[in-house]
Amino acid sequence: MKFQSQSVAMPYFIAAIGLFVGQILFGLIMGLQYVMGDFLFPEIPFNVARMVHTNLLIVWVLFGFMGASYYLIPEESQTELFSPKLAIAMFWIFLVAGALTIVGYLAVPYATLAELTGNKLLPTMGREFLEQPTITKIGIVIVALAFIFNVGMTVLKGRKTAISMVLMIGLVGLAVLFLFSFYNPHNIVLDKMFWWWVVHLWVEGVWELILGAILAFVLIKITGVDREVIEKWLYMIVAMALITGILGMGHHYFWIGTPEYWQLIGSVFSALEPIPFFMMTLFAFNMINQRRREHPNKAAALWAMGCGVMAFLGAGVWGFLHTLSPVNYYTHGSQVTAAHGHMAFYGAYAMVVMCMISYSMPLMRGRIANSRQAQVVEMWGFWLMTVSMVFITLFLTGAGILQVWLQRFSDAPQSFMAVQDQIAIFYWLRELAGVFFLIGLGVYIWSFFVEGEEVTVDNTAAPAAA
Amino acid sequence: MSQQLLSSSTSDGNSIDIAAQDDEVTEAAPINTESNTIAYAPKGRLPGDLAMWFFILAELTAFALLFSIYAVVRAKNPEMFAEGQAGLDIRAGLANTLALLSSSFFVACAVASVEAGRKGRACIELIAAISMGAFYVVVKLTEYSHSISLGYDITTNAFYQFYYLLTAFHFLHVVLGMLILIYITLRVHKGAYSDGNIQGMESGACYWHMVDLLWLVLFPLVYVLH
Amino acid sequence: MSETFTKTMARNIFFGGSLFFILVLLGLTFHTTKALPERDNRQNLTDQVAQGKLLWEENNCLGCHTLMGEGAYFAPELANVYDRFGKNTAAIKAFIKSRPANGIPGRRSMPQFNFSDEELDALAEFLKYVSEINDADWPPNIQG
């Protein structure tokens, strides 16, 4: 760690991991409700568990992005953070607001929460992933503005690099696009159309910029490859992400009442969306192969490569599988979508945050890397979670294909619930894989507490380098 | 061996020479001492920047997908497409083909002129190329207004959906290409390529040739083939 | 083969390419909003439908259901429920009303929301309005 203020990232990362645990626990509840319909009913109905599951995901990934930015920006800018106090204040505001929202979801019926928070004044609630009360949304905007102000001022007063530029564009885009969550017209088609400006342009647009910047930063640090090389690849990757991803939004405009030319545009451009993820995989592997130093943090390198591969599989391959409109006509809104969502989010965004945590957490704890023993445990966590996620995805894909066949494609289509009963075995297997994921997460967390011989500085680097 | 043009990033408004001061690099193996040399051999060299070629490949892939889908839909609705084609003015398409071909030719001439150090001539050739592009724009807009006045729009049928989407998407590439050519012209006028490093100009020229090439596929596909 | 790959060019393509596609998206969005009135059934978008949409949101219906394929995959698609229930709003209302407060042992069940008659009317009208949107013939069949 080169600057004292980088350590404000620590609470952000701890909170992120804590919320991650909550996300997985509620995921398991939902998974069980898929096969035991009355589980925790009516105390925690499925929709509440799902809200908690998805909202915790968004919040912990945002915590991760913010922590990553607070760590990365001072080092890139070669200056202390503009205001560490503001960063800590925002941390507590965001955490308390997030916790209160989750408690609100669990403590009272959603309609009561809507009434208590005055949703009728400016109705924004009750749309997928944007279930937060309007007042929470306003809080998110305030936290985001303060955060961007803080890191932005740091960039302005220090060195400006391609990595910090791409990251800032991603963060500003994230904040600006979130404003579309306040647009909720009575017309459901317009509502859905601009809802995607938040959701799609986040995860298949500006978040990829943030992902690319974090990955590039970690790769520079652990491989010692020339910054010039890494940064030009970063620009190419994010260029491809936006060139394909912006019009790729058309794949959400197939069946929601928008004109039919979107089927053509959406199919073509989203078919190209795997390109940036493929480049990201090549990028991570190439840079690590061309490394000029043997950084002792092997776990961080594993996360970086894993992130590339899993993002390509989850977002790229599983996205492509059902993105062409003639295919999507049958798979839209089925378990195939769920399969893609799980692996894409884990591979791209969960893993990049854990990659950054893996690289920076040891440094914030005063060592270049964790002990060998701790890294071995961390890698066990990596493999358990990643392999479990592959199985979750495969089982959901199996469920999805069968669902599409029985409910939509066969000559005698069956009703939704009849089909759900028949594919229950896949849900059971998914739940089992989910349990293994939770174990993997536990192992991962345990790795933070594993002691061991201290790893000393890079002793294999070329002596001439000094 | 990395071959960056660190010293040549003159167009780079807020360029920061990062590699030179990066603390991380110095810790590692010695910085590539050749990275400040302009690395290209006169023969067997890829014209333009590799980054531009990535972009061109992505664009070509997008168009290739569009063309393939067009072919599939056309094969399913031969009558509709034949009827739609009959409504297009093949002379306008032909005129535009000639305009883009000659424009591409002028751009190639301009690159040669710059290489030969003939700045003034290159500017004239580039302006000729841009004028041909402008001619295309005018013809295409006239065609659109004619079609729309006859009541054909993007929702009329599958043929017109493809016609408008394909040609408009290409049209926007022509506009972008013209902006790039205008930028290059200004740079040539300022003498930016006089140091023998014409990668930037070649990259722009490659983009323009791509736009031309796409039209050479689009024109027969949409206007001619029956 | 010798080639050049510069950061400047990569950056120009990032900014130029992104700007180009943002402008294309804005153009298409503009066109789409102009074309929507013919598809989105706005002539039937009454105050009652708007109230139904608010109820739909404030009870987090798509935390379980999908609407035009978007939402959760735990319960049936509802953009065509009006058609599935024989174009009968009374049947929709009866179904919502009949849900047991403590669920059905061992099975998924919709919660009992205790809607008033006015609210039920609004919800049913909302679902009817959604079913009449031209969504390119999705879903493939009545089962959703």
Side-chain angles (χ1 to χ4, degrees):
Chain A
M1 200 171 70
K2 297 198 165 56
F3 297 92
Q4 192 52 44
S5 53
Q6 285 178 284
S7 61
V8 298
M10 177 102 85
Y12 281 87
F13 288 151
I14 294 171
I17 294 172
L19 297 172
F20 187 18
V21 176
Q23 187 213 343
I24 302 309
L25 289 175
F26 277 87
L28 287 172
I29 292 175
M30 293 163 72
L32 209 51
Q33 287 175 334
Y34 256 96
V35 277
M36 296 170 53
D38 60 346
F39 181 61
L40 293 181
F41 190 90
E43 290 74 28
I44 305 180
F46 178 85
N47 69 307
V48 171
R50 184 178 194 266
M51 253 185 328
V52 176
H53 179 69
T54 57
N55 283 227
L56 279 178
L57 165 68
I58 296 166
V59 171
W60 88 254
V61 168
L62 288 179
F63 265 115
F65 285 170
M66 288 196 235
S69 308
Y70 283 130
Y71 188 88
L72 184 158
I73 289 289
E75 192 155 330
E76 284 292 293
S77 308
Q78 297 188 325
T79 174
E80 291 286 352
L81 186 66
F82 177 74
S83 169
K85 280 205 185 92
L86 182 62
I88 293 296
M90 283 305 132
F91 168 78
W92 286 110
I93 291 174
F94 195 38
L95 188 66
V96 170
L100 282 178
T101 304
I102 301 295
V103 168
Y105 289 162
L106 291 168
V108 294
Y110 191 69
T112 314
L113 184 66
E115 204 183 321
L116 287 174
T117 56
N119 186 50
K120 284 194 175 56
L121 298 174
L122 176 60
T124 66
M125 291 174 71
R127 293 172 304 152
E128 197 181 3
F129 311 128
L130 302 181
E131 294 94 347
Q132 311 82 27
T134 303
I135 189 162
T136 307
K137 289 199 181 79
I138 295 170
I140 292 173
V141 171
I142 292 169
V143 170
L145 285 180
F147 160 70
I148 287 171
F149 170 73
N150 206 352
V151 287
M153 291 304 284
T154 316
V155 171
L156 286 179
K157 74 175 174 160
R159 181 179 71 156
K160 290 150 195 75
T161 69
I163 289 178
S164 56
M165 281 301 133
V166 171
L167 182 65
M168 285 308 297
I169 294 170
L171 294 172
V172 171
L174 185 155
V176 168
L177 290 168
F178 185 69
L179 297 178
F180 282 97
S181 70
F182 292 95
Y183 176 65
N184 181 17
H186 297 314
N187 185 329
I188 189 89
V189 179
L190 277 175
D191 172 9
K192 282 175 175 289
M193 197 174 144
F194 286 100
W195 176 82
W196 283 114
W197 283 55
V198 187
V199 177
H200 174 90
L201 293 181
W202 264 18
V203 299
E204 289 165 70
V206 292
W207 283 28
E208 285 184 50
L209 271 58
I210 299 169
L211 161 65
I214 296 175
L215 207 54
F217 174 80
V218 173
L219 286 172
I220 285 188
K221 300 297 163 185
I222 62 175
T223 65
V225 169
D226 202 341
R227 172 181 286 273
E228 194 72 8
V229 175
I230 295 219
E231 288 189 334
K232 69 189 181 187
W233 275 101
L234 172 63
Y235 271 133
M236 269 338 280
I237 289 168
V238 294
M240 289 301 157
L242 293 190
I243 286 168
T244 62
I246 290 173
L247 289 188
M249 186 155 65
H251 65 197
H252 300 298
Y253 290 173
F254 293 166
W255 327 114
I256 59 166
T258 34
E260 280 156 46
Y261 55 74
W262 283 107
Q263 292 186 27
L264 181 62
I265 299 170
S267 298
V268 167
F269 284 91
S270 61
L272 301 179
E273 278 187 53
I275 292 175
F277 289 106
F278 185 64
M279 287 171 75
M280 230 174 271
T281 311
L282 285 183
F283 174 55
F285 277 79
N286 262 322
M287 294 307 118
I288 287 171
N289 279 337
Q290 293 172 23
R291 66 186 175 276
R292 291 169 161 199
R293 52 178 5 199
E294 290 298 331
H295 196 285
N297 196 338
K298 302 293 177 207
L302 181 65
W303 281 111
M305 290 187 286
C307 175
V309 173
M310 293 299 287
F312 173 63
L313 282 179
V317 177
W318 252 263
F320 179 76
L321 280 181
H322 62 139
T323 200
L324 301 176
S325 62
V327 177
N328 193 259
Y329 184 64
Y330 293 102
T331 60
H332 179 52
S334 70
Q335 294 296 327
V336 175
T337 318
H340 160 61
H342 278 81
M343 199 197 252
F345 249 97
Y346 173 73
Y349 301 118
M351 285 179 90
V352 80
V353 169
M354 284 187 277
C355 177
M356 187 68 185
I357 292 176
S358 181
Y359 168 73
S360 63
M361 205 64 156
L363 290 157
M364 285 189 279
R365 296 166 81 190
R367 48 187 182 249
I368 185 157
N370 286 327
S371 69
R372 263 180 51 83
Q373 294 88 324
Q375 286 194 45
V376 168
V377 176
E378 185 180 344
M379 288 183 190
W380 267 98
F382 168 94
W383 285 111
L384 272 169
M385 282 194 282
T386 305
V387 172
S388 302
M389 186 47 83
V390 169
F391 278 103
I392 289 174
T393 307
L394 289 174
F395 293 138
L396 285 177
T397 309
I401 291 171
L402 207 54
Q403 179 190 14
V404 167
W405 182 262
L406 294 171
Q407 186 185 320
R408 291 184 179 160
F409 205 82
S410 73
D411 293 334
Q414 300 174 38
S415 77
F416 180 89
M417 280 316 298
V419 171
Q420 292 295 306
D421 287 340
Q422 292 172 70
I423 60 183
I425 180 71
F426 285 104
Y427 293 139
W428 277 114
L429 291 168
R430 182 269 301 265
E431 182 73 354
L432 186 68
V435 171
F436 277 99
F437 190 97
L438 181 68
I439 296 170
L441 180 57
V443 171
Y444 172 71
I445 292 169
W446 175 40
S447 78
F448 288 89
F449 303 99
V450 173
E451 304 287 332
E453 281 168 58
E454 188 140 337
V455 187
T456 45
V457 202
D458 197 355
N459 44 13
T460 45
Chain B
M1 189 186 80
S2 61
Q3 295 161 334
Q4 302 97 35
L5 296 170
L6 289 179
S7 56
S8 70
S9 48
T10 42
S11 66
D12 187 350
N14 49 356
S15 134
I16 324 101
D17 197 2
I18 291 150
Q21 46 175 288
D22 188 7
D23 42 293
E24 284 301 315
V25 175
T26 49
E27 284 173 32
I31 303 175
N32 187 348
T33 48
E34 287 141 310
S35 62
N36 274 329
T37 58
I38 295 163
Y40 69 78
K43 277 179 194 162
R45 175 180 68 86
L46 184 73
D49 199 295
L50 189 63
M52 180 55 92
W53 283 98
F54 277 122
F55 184 49
I56 288 174
L57 278 176
E59 296 264 49
L60 286 179
T61 317
F63 273 100
L65 287 172
L66 284 168
F67 293 156
S68 335
I69 299 171
Y70 174 86
V72 171
V73 177
R74 197 179 102 138
K76 282 188 177 169
N77 308 279
E79 287 97 34
M80 180 206 287
F81 277 66
E83 194 187 320
Q85 271 184 340
L88 300 179
D89 189 347
I90 198 164
R91 289 165 306 167
L94 196 60
N96 271 344
T97 310
L98 295 174
L100 287 185
L101 271 177
S102 55
S103 177
S104 233
F105 171 74
F106 284 130
V107 169
C109 290
V111 173
S113 297
V114 167
E115 274 178 333
R118 302 172 73 174
K119 207 173 85 173
R121 190 188 160 108
C123 279
I124 292 168
E125 282 158 346
L126 281 168
I127 290 167
I130 295 165
S131 313
M132 287 286 110
F135 174 78
Y136 170 98
V137 168
V138 170
V139 171
K140 198 73 223 151
L141 287 177
T142 317
E143 271 190 274
Y144 284 147
S145 72
H146 181 64
S147 298
I148 290 169
S149 72
L150 292 177
Y152 297 119
D153 65 23
I154 196 164
T155 56
T156 303
N157 62 27
F159 173 77
Y160 277 97
Q161 178 180 316
F162 273 101
Y163 169 71
Y164 280 108
L165 278 184
L166 283 173
T167 57
F169 191 47
H170 179 263
F171 179 86
L172 294 171
H173 281 77
V174 174
V175 174
L176 176 63
M178 285 172 66
L179 291 174
I180 294 174
L181 288 183
I182 290 170
Y183 173 73
I184 289 177
T185 312
L186 295 174
R187 300 253 300 152
V188 170
H189 186 69
K190 278 196 296 184
Y193 304 111
S194 51
D195 59 355
N197 172 26
I198 56 165
Q199 298 280 352
M201 182 178 185
E202 285 179 343
S203 301
C206 287
Y207 189 79
W208 188 250
H209 295 322
M210 177 200 79
V211 172
D212 183 19
L213 174 74
L214 286 171
W215 179 257
L216 289 182
V217 182
L218 224 165
F219 170 60
L221 204 61
V222 177
Y223 287 76
V224 186
L225 280 176
H226 285 294
Chain C
M1 190 182 66
S2 159
E3 87 257 338
T4 316
F5 179 15
T6 66
K7 193 166 87 181
T8 311
M9 185 57 76
R11 194 202 53 196
N12 291 345
I13 286 170
F14 167 58
F15 283 115
S18 306
L19 189 65
F20 178 77
F21 281 99
I22 288 169
L23 292 175
V24 174
L25 175 68
L26 291 176
L28 284 167
T29 303
F30 179 74
H31 183 273
T32 297
T33 54
K34 293 284 152 206
L36 276 189
E38 289 185 11
R39 304 178 61 93
D40 65 10
N41 193 25
R42 65 179 63 185
Q43 65 280 4
N44 291 322
L45 181 44
T46 58
D47 286 346
Q48 197 182 24
V49 169
Q51 192 206 343
K53 180 169 183 280
L54 188 65
L55 283 166
W56 165 269
E57 289 164 0
E58 293 197 338
N59 290 283
N60 193 227
C61 301
L62 91 173
C64 293
H65 294 278
T66 48
L67 192 69
M68 296 194 240
E70 294 172 0
Y73 318 122
F74 190 70
E77 163 68 33
L78 293 185
N80 66 345
V81 69
Y82 175 69
D83 300 316
R84 193 159 57 238
F85 279 30
K87 296 192 188 291
N88 183 350
T89 50
I92 295 176
K93 289 186 277 188
F95 183 88
I96 299 174
K97 251 179 150 164
S98 69
R99 295 297 90 197
N102 288 316
I104 306 166
R107 297 196 56 82
R108 300 180 201 175
S109 172
M110 185 164 145
Q112 175 52 258
F113 289 100
N114 301 314
F115 289 124
S116 69
D117 286 343
E118 188 208 342
E119 289 172 329
L120 284 168
D121 285 340
L123 266 174
E125 283 306 310
F126 170 69
L127 292 171
K128 177 171 182 286
Y129 145 82
V130 173
S131 75
E132 289 161 354
I133 291 170
N134 177 357
D135 59 0
D137 288 329
W138 195 88
N141 64 54
I142 199 73
Q143 301 298 356

